[in-house]
Amino acid sequence: MSRYDAGEGPDPAQPYVAPLQAWEAFVHDRGRIENDLYVAYVNLLTRYREKLDECEREKRNAMLWEKEQRMSERELNSLKTVAESSPFAFVVVDGDGAVFREDLISRGEDGGIEAAHELHQQLKTYFHDQPQFCNIDTIFVHVVLSLEGLSRALHNSGAINPPDYGALTKFARGFARAQPLFTFTDVGYGKEQADHKVRKLFEVMEKNIQCRCLVLAGCHDNGYATFLESFRGNQKICLLETTPPAADFRKFTFKRVAFPSVFRSEPLLSRSTFPPGFTPATGMTPFTPGSMTSPSILSPGSGIGINPLPSPAVTASNESPRPTHPAPVAPAPIAAPKPEPQPSMASTANTASSYATVGRSSAPLTINIAAQKKPAVTRLFIQLNKHDERVDIPLTKPDPNAVKSLDDRRQMSGMNLCNRYHLANSCKNANCSFYHGERLNPAEILALRHKTRNLVCSSGHYCREIACNLGHHCPNPGSCYFGEDCRFSEMHGMDITPTIKIYEDGNREVL
């Protein structure tokens, strides 16, 4: 054993080992905490800079939006100023039914000039008496009619005497010349031509904000009543009454005005008329009930005229007294001969007497045996608007008697009618809780379609079922009378102009 070994004792550094280890752990924890603080600080700084950039962008956008708002307000005020500074009234006249007075028409251009000035003065007086229209000074009048058709109607009714087929044309010329904003439009022969143009003019002017008053002279035609349904509640619409208004116009609350000093207050007398360009043959008389003659046939060499055969009674009176028999009705053109039952002896004698008289005519009886064309098969389809939303196909007006018949059936049975059974013929529910019973006639089916159209389809305007009879939008989405209480209130504002047809076989047709 060395002397050094004998002198060893406890390690003097031992007491410092534990504190040193504790200090090292503290330093390590502090470094970790400092690193975490540094990372959090960097993240916070990054977010701060992002928010700062975002605020700068929003500030610039707010300045741009404020600038655009000021520009839009100036533009809107300018448009309001223009609209308020140049209000006008537009009067559209269906001249085929709203007829000017015959004493004015018979005077030609002078009558047209007087009618234009009188109508302008009457309209100005009416507008100035109405607080809503008192600032209107500009008046447009657009008369749409068939000059040829109305001229014939006037002369056939005897309204113009002596006859002057050019009187209406001269009247129109004077009417248009007297007032620079008055126009006459000749749409040619055919009533629907005038109706279509009147409706389009009305629709365009109804959307014009400068048009403060829109006057329609068409109360003689129930067709305009259906057209006006979608404009209920429009305060700028006014009806110009000439002849007594049709029954369907009584339900409207539009303002009404009449100018008996300009327009006829009674309809033209209805007499027998001929199509344009038709020249009656010599001796031809118009058909009247109670004076039935034998069937008319084309006579060789008679040109375009049609010579009616004399009735058996008249022929008999010209020859010798004999019993007269009613003239038989001429058979319609047939596609192929068909066997007929043998007549009795008495009927054979009567028929022989009648046809013997017909046989004396110089023209032979001609029967057309050409093959008849088969009627086209109607394909079912649905309609969509430009947004691919379903648009219901319009229904014609139901017969009030058919509506009453449906109500009577419902009251007698105590149940509502089964729509599937009567409309689709497809009710397969053996325990159906709705009334089946006797099949409905066509008029009652139409009335039932109107009732079911008032029920909202669960698929709404997304429905693509061809046979669906329920409603898919409000009939008057632009101006519904019921407002928010309407069953179809969610569809209000929907465009109901169809742009495409989709048939049941999948084919499409662009409208």
Side-chain angles (χ1 to χ4, degrees):
M1 174 181 294
S2 66
R3 58 187 182 91
Y4 294 103
D5 293 336
E8 287 184 0
D11 187 0
Q14 188 64 33
Y16 302 101
V17 172
L20 179 61
Q21 292 175 348
W23 180 79
E24 287 178 349
F26 171 77
V27 170
H28 180 268
D29 290 342
R30 187 181 67 176
R32 181 178 54 80
I33 294 173
E34 288 177 351
N35 186 64
D36 292 343
L37 289 174
Y38 174 76
V39 173
Y41 171 75
V42 171
N43 291 336
L44 182 62
L45 183 62
T46 302
R47 292 174 56 191
Y48 166 75
R49 289 172 178 173
E50 290 175 352
K51 291 296 181 181
L52 185 62
D53 294 339
E54 184 178 348
C55 290
E56 290 295 331
R57 287 195 303 271
E58 292 298 327
K59 183 178 179 181
R60 289 193 298 270
N61 291 337
M63 294 175 64
L64 291 175
W65 282 114
E66 185 178 356
K67 182 179 179 180
E68 290 188 7
Q69 181 183 3
R70 289 196 299 267
M71 294 176 61
S72 299
E73 288 178 351
R74 286 197 297 268
E75 184 177 358
L76 179 60
N77 292 332
S78 176
L79 290 175
K80 286 183 178 180
T81 302
V82 172
E84 293 174 357
S85 62
S86 304
F88 66 86
F90 192 87
V91 183
V92 57
V93 180
D94 183 348
D96 289 337
V99 184
F100 290 91
R101 288 177 48 177
E102 62 273 18
D103 58 328
L104 296 174
I105 296 177
S106 62
R107 291 168 52 198
E109 287 195 25
D110 292 339
I113 293 173
E114 180 179 342
H117 289 313
E118 177 67 16
L119 179 59
H120 187 265
Q121 184 59 41
Q122 295 276 4
L123 288 170
K124 286 188 65 175
T125 302
Y126 170 73
F127 293 145
H128 289 171
D129 291 342
Q130 300 292 325
Q132 183 181 356
F133 308 135
C134 61
N135 60 338
I136 295 178
D137 291 320
T138 304
I139 304 173
F140 292 85
V141 176
H142 202 111
V143 183
V144 183
L145 78 168
S146 168
L147 283 175
E148 181 182 3
L150 183 56
S151 295
R152 289 180 178 275
L154 288 169
H155 291 290
N156 291 331
S157 66
I160 296 181
N161 194 13
D164 181 5
Y165 281 92
L168 185 58
T169 302
K170 298 174 184 176
F171 173 86
R173 186 184 305 123
F175 185 88
R177 287 179 177 177
Q179 292 290 336
L181 300 180
F182 284 20
T183 58
F184 249 79
T185 299
D186 178 18
V187 295
Y189 195 79
K191 178 180 179 299
E192 292 302 323
Q193 300 295 330
D195 292 358
H196 177 70
K197 197 171 190 68
V198 168
R199 288 188 176 97
K200 287 300 180 182
L201 285 171
F202 189 93
E203 290 174 350
V204 171
M205 288 301 166
E206 191 273 334
K207 298 174 183 176
N208 192 314
I209 60 174
Q210 290 182 275
C211 179
R212 296 301 181 83
C213 183
L214 181 56
V215 183
L216 173 63
C219 296
H220 59 279
D221 189 351
N222 269 330
Y224 290 118
T226 304
F227 168 71
L228 289 173
E229 282 287 352
S230 58
F231 300 99
R232 277 181 179 266
N234 194 324
Q235 297 297 320
K236 78 175 186 179
I237 295 177
C238 179
L239 299 180
L240 172 56
E241 294 182 353
T242 54
T243 57
D248 288 351
F249 281 88
R250 298 171 185 169
K251 59 188 176 183
F252 294 119
T253 57
F254 299 124
K255 298 181 178 64
R256 298 171 187 260
V257 64
F259 304 130
S261 60
V262 180
F263 296 96
R264 285 177 58 94
S265 56
E266 295 294 333
L268 291 173
L269 297 177
S270 178
R271 295 187 181 184
S272 299
T273 59
F274 302 99
F278 180 82
T279 304
T282 305
M284 182 174 182
T285 57
F287 169 83
T288 56
S291 62
M292 177 69 75
T293 62
S294 297
S296 300
I297 59 176
L298 291 177
S299 175
S302 62
I304 197 172
I306 299 178
N307 296 327
L309 292 176
S311 66
V314 175
T315 306
S317 64
N318 291 337
E319 294 180 355
S320 59
R322 66 176 69 178
T324 60
H325 305 282
V329 179
I334 55 177
K338 297 180 180 179
E340 297 181 358
Q342 297 295 331
S344 64
M345 295 298 292
S347 63
T348 303
N350 292 344
T351 307
S353 175
S354 301
Y355 274 98
T357 305
V358 176
R360 297 189 187 97
S361 172
S362 59
L365 180 63
T366 303
I367 299 178
N368 179 18
I369 62 173
Q372 299 279 333
K373 290 184 178 179
K374 294 183 178 180
V377 178
T378 303
R379 294 189 298 167
L380 299 179
F381 63 89
I382 61 174
Q383 298 181 148
L384 304 180
N385 62 13
K386 61 183 179 181
H387 303 296
D388 289 335
E389 298 169 332
R390 180 163 179 172
V391 177
D392 289 331
I393 302 173
L395 300 174
T396 57
K397 185 179 179 181
D399 183 6
N401 294 328
V403 176
K404 185 177 183 301
S405 176
L406 289 183
D407 293 336
D408 292 342
R409 284 198 186 197
R410 182 181 58 81
Q411 292 177 1
M412 291 177 61
S413 64
M415 297 184 295
N416 291 325
L417 297 177
C418 178
N419 296 332
R420 291 187 176 273
Y421 176 81
H422 292 286
L423 298 182
N425 195 24
S426 62
C427 183
K428 300 178 182 179
N429 185 1
N431 299 319
C432 181
S433 59
F434 297 98
Y435 180 71
H436 287 192
E438 184 182 356
R439 292 286 183 181
L440 304 180
N441 60 40
E444 293 172 334
I445 289 177
L446 176 60
L448 183 57
R449 289 189 187 278
H450 275 274
K451 287 182 177 293
T452 57
R453 186 65 66 82
N454 291 326
L455 302 176
V456 183
C457 176
S458 59
S459 301
H461 48 65
Y462 299 104
C463 176
R464 296 297 183 267
E465 183 182 349
I466 297 289
C468 182
N469 294 294
L470 302 177
H472 302 92
H473 60 78
C474 179
N476 305 307
S479 56
C480 179
Y481 177 79
F482 300 98
E484 294 298 324
D485 296 330
C486 176
R487 297 176 178 175
F488 301 87
S489 59
E490 295 182 359
M491 290 88 158
H492 283 176
M494 172 182 165
D495 182 11
I496 60 173
T497 303
T499 60
I500 191 171
K501 286 183 180 180
I502 301 180
Y503 292 91
E504 55 184 343
D505 56 2
N507 291 331
R508 292 172 174 253
E509 176 185 352
V510 179
L511 302 178

